[in-house]
Amino acid sequence: MSERGIRMPLQEIQESVQQIASAVASVLRVEVEIADHRLVRIAGTGRTESGILRTMAGEDHVYRASLFDGRPVVIMNPGADERCRPCTHFGNCEETGEICCPITLDGKEVGVIGLLAFDQEQRARLFADVDSILNFLQKIAELIAIKMKEHLMYKKQQLTLEKLRVVMDDLDKAMLTVDQEDRIVQMNQRAKQYLQLAETGEDYEPAAGLVRAIRQAVESGAAPPKVVLAVGGEAKEFLFTIKPIQLDGATLEWVITLDDVREVVAIARQVGGFELKDSFSGIAGISSAIAQAKEVARRVATSDSTVLLRGESGTGKELFAKAIHQASHRSKQPFVSINCAAIPEHLLESELFGYEEGAFTGARKGGRVGLFEAADKGTLFLDEIGDMPVHLQVKMLRVLQEQQVVRVGGSGKPIDVDVRIIAATHRDLEQLVAAGVFRADLYYRLHVIPILLPSLRERREDILTLANGYLQTCGARLKKPIKGFTQEAQALLFHHVWPGNVRELANVIEYAVNMETSPWIRPESIPFHARRESMAKAPSVAAGTTLEQPLNLKERERAAISHALQLVQQDKRRKEEAARLLGISRATLFRKIKEHGLI
């Protein structure tokens, strides 16, 4: 356990420590003070109480000696004892006696407890039986150490529970645990969405019906295991698993996982390929930057050339990859995707190229088809290609050159594949090549048709269009008929820097829909971080106006552009610098200047 983990909690249990100090003082009728390993007073009674949570610097020499030696210290004559000489009160001490003892946890001194006398009556009680007092003091020190240990164990338990909650919420599957009475113990966010349940403990009946239905399905022996549940007045089908949680041979709880059959079918249709009249219609936006990216993607969709999608995280690289596949002659064939950064390095090779039976410990009987083979005649989307390990880059290059794969543990016999590659990355591949962590020959193989996807900062004119689209979708899903955004909320969305791009925008809108209680999204329903950053990044408006005044969005935009132009003109800089200040492209700036008559 780290030093921080051991030493910090004494102050964290300050209330308990103070209660112990007060109890000891009332029993012994002397004053008590307790300090931590930094000699900050954590608890005190009588004259020492006013110094709680303050350093004892200059008055801590006896305690320091006790901590350093790990032994009790008895001072019969404070102010005259040589051990008190470094103290600022040496020769003029108010105390008439002192006994202190270190507090030890797991072999380390984490604090000290002291008994103090300030008059002759207290001194007489303190030294009437020193051995008994010391024994009692050591027991109290052990009690405090036990309290600290309990606190550490509680924090560790809470951390474990929080880790479990985070992991559960990050799963694509709905997961919940139920007890022997079929009550929900814990469930992740996906389970709450699937079953439309309240927080744990608020609504048990749906869980009871769920478990009964699952048990009946298990008894029926249906394959695949499937259950029909009434959710929100609608019958929904779920694939499920149920596993017992056992302790000492007794089943205490069950873990249930659920997959919505409709979502599974939709994913299967996606992998199998499907047609759209315009596969790019699902990519919203009218800005010149996104329009240019879509135009390039449309032109190359009908070819088999390798495409490299570049852009920040959350700019929609997978959406573009799917649109390109759907617009290609391969649209009726599989679209298979893999995130190269999300798969552990030792598993990525077998995922991509497959493996033969017995290739390694735990290899499936009969081997396994890799993603290249699964995507045969279709498209393979390699997301975060910049994170691919160097040794796999060599094998990847061979596949691109020869259109053949060799399974892990195979005899060396190549398997022909016909796969169109679309790769994506948010990293600077040129820098990676220069640093020697990405092969130059693979870079040039991938960099055939590069398409740069703009960040949301570079297409601000699309922000409100996207926001309204997400509002309609999310409002319908959550059954909240919200009409739109107030002007103030629109301004916040427009000026936010959007480091997470479109993905962050979608999350912010979903949060706002959940929080809003009126027919319109207001600023207070937007997450605090978005409000704070938007206000910090929003340019000041023209003189005589403020963002609090009732300007409409068009006026705010004009004022912001005008102010940015004034700033660059004052410093005799080019107008392109104004675009950088506003977080928009050069083309967008000049179009807006003309639109607002600022020429």
Side-chain angles (χ1 to χ4, degrees):
M1 192 175 292
S2 68
E3 179 176 307
R4 176 180 174 85
I6 289 177
R7 292 190 164 179
M8 291 304 289
L10 190 57
Q11 186 166 333
E12 294 178 14
I13 60 169
Q14 192 272 333
E15 184 176 346
S16 295
V17 173
Q18 180 60 46
Q19 290 174 354
I20 291 173
S22 298
V24 172
S26 65
V27 170
L28 299 182
R29 290 186 292 167
V30 295
E31 304 304 338
V32 181
E33 65 180 356
I34 300 170
D36 66 7
H37 70 287
R38 299 165 301 175
L39 295 173
V40 171
R41 187 179 285 108
I42 304 301
T45 65
R47 301 190 190 189
T48 66
E49 189 172 359
S50 61
I52 291 175
L53 299 182
R54 296 180 185 173
T55 180
M56 299 176 67
E59 304 174 351
D60 56 7
H61 301 285
V62 174
Y63 287 176
R64 191 181 299 277
S66 181
L67 278 172
F68 183 79
D69 295 334
R71 293 183 298 181
V73 175
V74 178
I75 303 293
M76 302 287 290
N77 297 299
D81 194 301
E82 282 298 311
R83 289 171 293 183
C84 299
R85 182 170 293 278
C87 179
T88 56
H89 301 300
F90 184 73
N92 186 30
C93 184
E94 295 181 349
E95 297 177 17
T96 57
E98 179 178 344
I99 299 177
C100 64
C101 174
I103 301 169
T104 304
L105 177 62
D106 294 336
K108 292 187 177 181
E109 281 65 43
V110 295
V112 62
I113 178 170
L115 304 180
L116 310 174
F118 286 96
D119 56 39
Q120 292 304 313
E121 287 185 13
Q122 288 183 337
R123 186 178 189 280
R125 286 193 290 269
L126 187 61
F127 297 122
D129 188 346
V130 174
D131 290 340
S132 296
I133 291 291
L134 280 174
N135 184 57
F136 177 75
L137 199 58
Q138 288 171 336
K139 295 297 182 184
I140 296 299
E142 291 174 8
L143 174 63
I144 295 172
I146 290 171
K147 285 284 185 183
M148 291 180 64
K149 191 77 170 181
E150 290 174 350
H151 180 70
L152 284 171
M153 292 176 66
Y154 173 77
K155 288 186 67 176
K156 187 175 181 180
Q157 182 185 46
Q158 292 301 110
L159 178 61
T160 300
L161 290 174
E162 182 62 16
K163 288 179 180 178
L164 177 61
R165 186 195 65 77
V166 171
V167 170
M168 285 182 65
D169 280 344
D170 199 43
L171 293 176
D172 288 331
K173 292 179 178 291
M175 177 179 286
L176 62 154
T177 59
V178 296
D179 63 17
Q180 293 177 326
E181 297 180 4
D182 295 347
R183 295 180 303 182
I184 291 176
V185 177
Q186 192 169 12
M187 58 182 167
N188 65 1
Q189 291 297 326
R190 182 61 64 91
K192 295 174 186 177
Q193 293 169 3
Y194 275 2
L195 305 177
Q196 298 181 18
L197 295 178
E199 293 294 335
T200 301
E202 291 184 11
D203 194 349
Y204 293 141
E205 286 306 312
L210 165 67
V211 178
R212 284 194 296 270
I214 285 177
R215 285 178 179 157
Q216 291 171 1
V218 171
E219 291 172 1
S220 70
K226 186 170 61 173
V227 65
V228 179
L229 300 173
V231 179
E234 178 185 359
K236 291 188 177 182
E237 288 186 307
F238 297 95
L239 299 175
F240 71 85
T241 65
I242 180 168
K243 296 180 180 179
I245 301 175
Q246 296 182 326
L247 184 63
D248 297 329
T251 298
L252 303 180
E253 295 178 1
W254 286 267
V255 176
I256 297 172
T257 62
L258 300 169
D259 283 298
D260 190 319
V261 170
R262 286 180 297 185
E263 290 186 6
V264 173
V265 171
I267 292 171
R269 290 182 59 216
Q270 182 186 79
V271 172
F274 55 97
E275 294 184 3
L276 285 177
K277 290 183 178 179
D278 179 10
S279 62
F280 293 90
S281 62
I283 302 175
I286 58 171
S287 65
S288 59
I290 199 68
Q292 182 178 358
K294 287 165 69 173
E295 180 59 26
V296 174
R298 277 196 184 94
R299 291 184 183 182
V300 303
T302 55
S303 79
D304 281 333
S305 297
T306 300
V307 175
L308 179 62
L309 301 171
R310 310 190 67 167
E312 297 176 6
S313 295
T315 49
K317 294 187 283 293
E318 185 165 3
L319 192 62
F320 263 80
K322 290 177 181 177
I324 292 171
H325 169 76
Q326 292 157 13
S328 74
H329 63 87
R330 298 173 180 265
S331 61
K332 295 185 183 298
Q333 302 302 324
F335 174 85
V336 180
S337 67
I338 184 172
N339 188 319
C340 299
I343 308 295
E345 182 175 334
H346 65 284
L347 295 179
L348 185 57
E349 183 176 11
S350 61
E351 284 290 321
L352 286 170
F353 306 109
Y355 58 81
E356 297 290 356
E357 181 177 345
F360 49 84
T361 302
R364 180 186 299 176
K365 185 176 181 180
R368 181 178 177 181
V369 171
L371 296 184
F372 270 98
E373 292 179 66
D376 189 35
K377 303 297 188 298
T379 302
L380 178 60
F381 176 53
L382 300 170
D383 199 6
E384 299 303 345
I385 189 72
D387 294 284
M388 178 172 285
V390 175
H391 76 277
L392 288 186
Q393 294 176 26
V394 178
K395 199 165 182 178
M396 177 68 66
L397 181 64
R398 189 179 304 118
V399 176
L400 294 179
Q401 291 173 337
E402 301 170 6
Q403 288 286 292
Q404 292 180 326
V405 296
V406 177
R407 291 183 179 181
V408 177
S411 60
K413 182 180 179 181
I415 301 170
D416 292 330
V417 291
D418 175 17
V419 177
R420 201 256 180 99
I421 298 295
I422 301 178
T425 183
H426 74 282
R427 305 186 67 181
D428 188 330
L429 291 184
E430 290 79 5
Q431 285 188 3
L432 296 181
V433 170
V437 295
F438 199 87
R439 293 181 63 93
D441 44 5
L442 178 58
Y443 167 77
Y444 290 116
R445 276 282 176 180
L446 295 172
H447 204 265
V448 180
I449 309 289
I451 300 178
L452 181 62
L453 304 189
S455 67
L456 210 47
R457 298 182 301 280
E458 297 169 305
R459 44 183 297 216
R460 288 191 179 274
E461 56 267 60
D462 291 336
I463 290 175
L464 296 180
T465 300
L466 290 166
N468 280 294
Y470 289 132
L471 179 61
Q472 291 179 7
T473 303
C474 193
R477 177 164 55 85
L478 298 178
K479 296 181 174 58
K480 295 187 72 172
I482 296 177
K483 297 179 181 179
F485 302 87
T486 66
Q487 289 188 0
E488 293 80 7
Q490 291 181 47
L492 283 177
L493 295 175
F494 183 84
H495 289 296
H496 183 47
V497 293
W498 301 113
N501 292 294
V502 179
R503 187 180 298 121
E504 182 189 4
L505 175 61
N507 292 341
V508 165
I509 300 307
E510 183 166 353
Y511 178 95
V513 171
N514 275 283
M515 294 297 105
E516 188 55 71
T517 57
S518 76
W520 299 87
I521 298 292
R522 297 166 297 174
E524 52 265 37
S525 294
I526 294 173
F528 174 73
H529 74 276
R531 299 202 305 270
R532 180 183 58 202
E533 292 181 18
S534 298
M535 289 185 288
K537 293 293 181 180
S540 301
V541 295
T545 64
T546 67
L547 289 179
E548 285 72 21
Q549 292 177 330
L551 296 174
N552 62 35
L553 187 60
K554 198 103 178 157
E555 291 171 335
R556 290 177 185 271
E557 184 179 80
R558 186 182 191 282
I561 294 172
S562 175
H563 184 69
L565 291 173
Q566 291 175 15
L567 289 176
V568 297
Q569 287 170 0
Q570 288 173 4
D571 298 335
K572 296 182 179 180
R573 290 181 290 171
R574 299 170 64 190
K575 288 182 179 179
E576 286 81 350
E577 287 295 304
R580 186 183 62 79
L581 291 173
L582 293 165
I584 59 178
S585 67
R586 178 179 179 274
T588 299
L589 173 66
F590 282 97
R591 180 165 57 81
K592 292 292 183 182
I593 289 175
K594 184 176 180 181
E595 179 181 325
H596 290 294
L598 295 172
I599 300 175

